[in-house]
């Protein structure tokens, strides 16, 4: 691919614009997932034609250093040769059987070997399915209906998770989307990320019969869907303790962090064992594959061994499994050095961005943990959704456009993590920092 030195870059060119116009006629918003539409940053999304390693090329021939990484899956960059080989090899034997295959067992074993709290696992097709199944299992296991989640965390688009806190002193949740029944939403309680007291209050209310009895607490152990927000010291350990005491299950939603922050995910990094874990993104190697796993006694409740129903026509799809298995084996082969490299490169990026921010005087701060990075346009460090919500979204929009113009593709929303891959070398990181310096200087000049 080219070196990205196109003369006129910056958002959609003619061909992308024409494609978007066509798309809008037949696909709501022209996209198959809302954030892709650039609604949060303005402008039109370039249509992507191809990707290789760290770079993507759009339909107009512009190339970009990519930090979207398909929103998390591409730990080894675009079109990783070992993934393509594994998929090609599987492809010629048939694309789907709806019957068990050997590689599904290999992948289940590889997941359990990497994540010790996962004693048994079921493969599904999306993170949404994984969290939906985890919640159903937790409800069945505890014979309770309530669930506690955290404001600013995202767990896919199942009805039970599209819920925000009710106003005032109300404990009950209310839908964030039309179509989610209020009767279901009231079972979802919202606590504040990094605030154990807010969790304890909801658990206590449930125990006292003043709110729904709580089946599970679900959390992104490192939040990524309000931008990258690490857990405060003791937060995850506190959740472990509180849920154990309350007889509720602890679900780590590691759809983003699994196989990204460590081979064993955030739970390895922070040394906490949840009861259930959801995984997706990296584990699918860029294919529609996700997983729910955890304690053996809980997982055995799943059909056909137990009564909790869950199924999927394309679950454990041979191509997706081949890709996922190739990625997990590559992670194992490279060992801890892989995650050291990701950390070092991401720190280099974060340090460079911090210097660029302070040089420019633009009010912003940089958050980074492992290969997750966010520039928050808020001068204060962000520790929860209230902090994230105080960000200057308009400033982010200008930053995003400036970076795009300079050949850097960031997630098109303030509240997203940028993903550094194993393919992001020092040269690309430094090119990104230079683009940020120029963009921030332009913003500071007005
Ligand atoms: C992406 C994501 C999901 C949803 O996964 P999909 O595959 O998009 O359904 C759930 N939880 C977290 C933490 C995620 O980052």
């Amino acid at each position: 691919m080219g070196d990205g030195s196109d003369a006129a870059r910056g958002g959609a060119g003619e061909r992308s614009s024409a494609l978007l116009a066509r798309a809008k006629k037949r696909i709501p918003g022209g996209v198959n997932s809302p954030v892709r539409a650039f609604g949060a940053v303005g402008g039109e999304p370039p249509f992507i034609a191809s990707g290789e390693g760290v770079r993507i090329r759009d339909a107009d021939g512009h190339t970009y250093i990519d930090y979207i990484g398909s929103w998390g899956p591409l730990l080894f960059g675009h079109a990783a040769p070992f993934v393509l080989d594994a998929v090609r090899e599987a492809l010629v034997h048939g694309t789907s059987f709806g019957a068990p295959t050997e590689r599904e067992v290999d992948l289940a074993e590889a997941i359990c070997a990497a994540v010790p709290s996962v004693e048994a696992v079921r493969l599904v097709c999306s993170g949404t399915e994984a969290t939906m199944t985890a919640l159903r299992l937790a409800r069945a296991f505890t014979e309770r209906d309530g669930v506690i989640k955290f404001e600013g965390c995202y767990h896919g688009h199942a009805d039970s998770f599209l819920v925000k806190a009710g106003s005032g002193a109300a404990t009950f949740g209310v839908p964030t989307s039309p179509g989610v029944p209020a009767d279901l939403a009231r079972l979802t309680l919202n606590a504040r990320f990094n605030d154990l007291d807010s969790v304890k209050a909801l658990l206590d209310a449930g125990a006292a019969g003043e709110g729904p009895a709580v089946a599970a607490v679900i959390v992104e152990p490192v939040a990524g869907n309000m931008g990258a927000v690490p857990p405060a010291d003791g937060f995850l350990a506190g959740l472990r303790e509180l849920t154990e005491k309350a007889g509720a299950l602890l679900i780590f939603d590691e759809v983003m962090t699994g196989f990204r922050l460590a081979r064993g995910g955030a739970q390895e990094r922070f040394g906490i064992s949840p009861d259930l874990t959801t995984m997706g993104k990296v584990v699918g190697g860029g294919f529609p594959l996700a997983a729910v796993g955890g304690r053996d006694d809980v997982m055995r409740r799943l059909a056909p061994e137990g009564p909790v129903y869950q199924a999927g026509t394309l679950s454990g799809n041979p191509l997706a499994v081949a890709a996922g298995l190739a990625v997990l084996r590559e992670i194992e082969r490279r060992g801890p050095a892989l995650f050291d490299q990701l950390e070092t490169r991401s720190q280099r990026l974060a340090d460079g961005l911090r210097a660029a921010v302070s040089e420019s005087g633009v009010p912003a701060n940089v958050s980074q943990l492992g290969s997750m990075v966010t520039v928050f346009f808020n001068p204060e460090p962000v520790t929860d959704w209230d902090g994230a919500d105080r960000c200057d979204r308009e400033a982010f929009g200008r930053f995003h456009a400036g970076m795009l113009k300079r050949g850097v593709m960031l997630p098109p929303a303030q509240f997203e993590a940028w993903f550094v891959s194993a393919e992001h070398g020092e040269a690309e990181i430094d090119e990104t920092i230079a683009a940020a310096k120029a963009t921030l200087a332009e913003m500071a000049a007005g």
Side-chain angles (χ1 to χ4, degrees):
M1 300 196 57
D3 63 359
S5 59
D6 309 81
R9 227 182 340 213
E14 252 176 60
R15 223 177 109 63
S16 285
S17 274
L19 287 170
L20 184 64
R22 260 178 70 202
K24 280 183 168 170
K25 288 201 174 118
R26 294 300 181 195
I27 306 171
V31 291
N32 282 311
S33 197
V35 73
R36 297 178 195 173
F38 272 39
V41 290
E44 291 185 349
F47 274 56
I48 304 306
S50 65
E52 190 185 342
V54 77
R55 289 180 200 270
I56 51 177
R57 179 185 290 276
D58 69 18
D60 305 289
H62 307 139
T63 62
Y64 308 87
I65 299 174
D66 183 31
Y67 287 94
I68 299 179
S70 183
W71 298 89
L74 302 182
L75 191 67
F76 295 103
H78 294 273
F82 69 89
V83 175
L84 299 190
D85 286 346
V87 173
R88 252 184 230 114
E89 201 274 320
L91 176 68
V92 294
H93 297 295
T95 57
S96 184
F97 306 108
T101 56
E102 182 170 348
R103 280 207 192 90
E104 289 168 81
V105 191
D106 295 339
L107 183 56
E109 288 172 350
I111 292 170
C112 294
V115 190
S117 77
V118 175
E119 297 170 331
V121 63
R122 172 142 300 165
L123 303 181
V124 295
C125 295
S126 70
T128 293
E129 263 186 274
T131 57
M132 186 183 79
T133 303
L135 179 54
R136 186 177 303 141
L137 261 174
R139 283 172 163 159
F141 188 81
T142 60
E143 299 181 349
R144 300 174 181 178
D145 289 340
V147 58
I148 296 175
K149 65 182 273 294
F150 294 88
E151 278 178 279
C153 284
Y154 177 69
H155 304 294
H157 65 94
D159 285 354
S160 287
F161 299 117
L162 298 182
V163 179
K164 65 181 177 191
S167 55
T171 323
F172 298 127
V174 299
T176 57
S177 168
V180 174
D183 279 350
L184 183 65
R186 62 200 295 283
L187 299 173
T188 302
L189 313 169
N190 276 270
R192 188 195 294 257
F193 194 74
N194 281 328
D195 178 354
L196 289 170
D197 289 343
S198 71
V199 180
K200 187 166 186 305
L202 293 171
L203 287 168
D204 289 349
E210 290 155 10
V214 175
V217 173
I218 186 168
V219 67
E220 290 181 71
V222 173
N225 287 290
M226 53 178 143
V229 179
D233 279 351
F235 176 60
L236 298 175
L239 290 181
R240 181 63 286 182
E241 204 178 301
L242 285 174
T243 45
E244 232 155 54
K245 261 196 213 139
L249 299 189
L250 179 60
I251 305 171
F252 272 11
D253 182 356
E254 298 228 41
V255 169
M256 186 181 290
T257 53
F259 301 100
R260 174 168 288 283
L261 294 185
R263 179 165 167 246
Q267 56 194 274
E268 177 188 317
R269 253 183 108 128
F270 292 94
I272 307 292
S273 258
D275 300 297
L276 292 174
T277 298
T278 53
M279 289 160 275
K281 299 190 172 131
V282 174
V283 77
F287 279 74
L289 184 148
V292 51
R295 267 167 56 181
D296 202 63
D297 58 338
V298 180
M299 291 302 295
R300 300 284 160 204
R301 302 290 176 99
L302 270 185
E305 245 177 271
V308 180
Y309 193 68
Q310 187 280 333
T313 300
L314 290 174
S315 292
N317 173 262
L319 304 185
V321 167
L325 194 57
V327 163
L328 264 52
R329 288 192 169 146
E330 182 69 5
I331 288 172
E332 196 183 347
R333 191 184 70 75
R334 294 222 205 167
L338 168 66
F339 296 99
D340 291 346
Q341 179 198 310
L342 287 165
E343 186 76 48
T344 309
R345 296 269 162 83
S346 305
Q347 272 171 11
R348 183 187 184 93
L349 176 61
D351 289 346
L353 291 168
R354 279 187 196 109
V357 164
S358 68
E359 211 174 279
S360 71
V362 172
N365 82 89
V366 181
S367 173
Q368 175 259 329
L369 190 110
S371 52
M372 295 161 60
V373 178
T374 299
V375 177
F376 286 112
F377 285 85
N378 172 346
E380 305 296 325
V382 170
T383 59
D384 60 20
W385 172 246
D386 288 343
D389 196 30
R390 281 194 293 271
C391 285
D392 182 345
R393 291 161 170 83
E394 204 256 330
F396 178 81
R398 276 184 288 149
F399 181 69
H400 184 273
M403 294 297 276
L404 195 69
K405 188 169 74 181
R406 294 175 174 86
V408 179
M409 180 66 78
L410 302 178
Q414 167 72 92
F415 307 114
E416 302 291 348
W418 315 3
F419 295 112
V420 174
S421 78
E423 293 294 301
H424 285 79
E426 290 187 355
E428 287 87 10
I429 299 282
D430 292 348
E431 200 180 320
T432 306
I433 294 166
K437 263 191 190 159
T439 301
L440 288 162
E442 197 173 78
M443 288 169 68

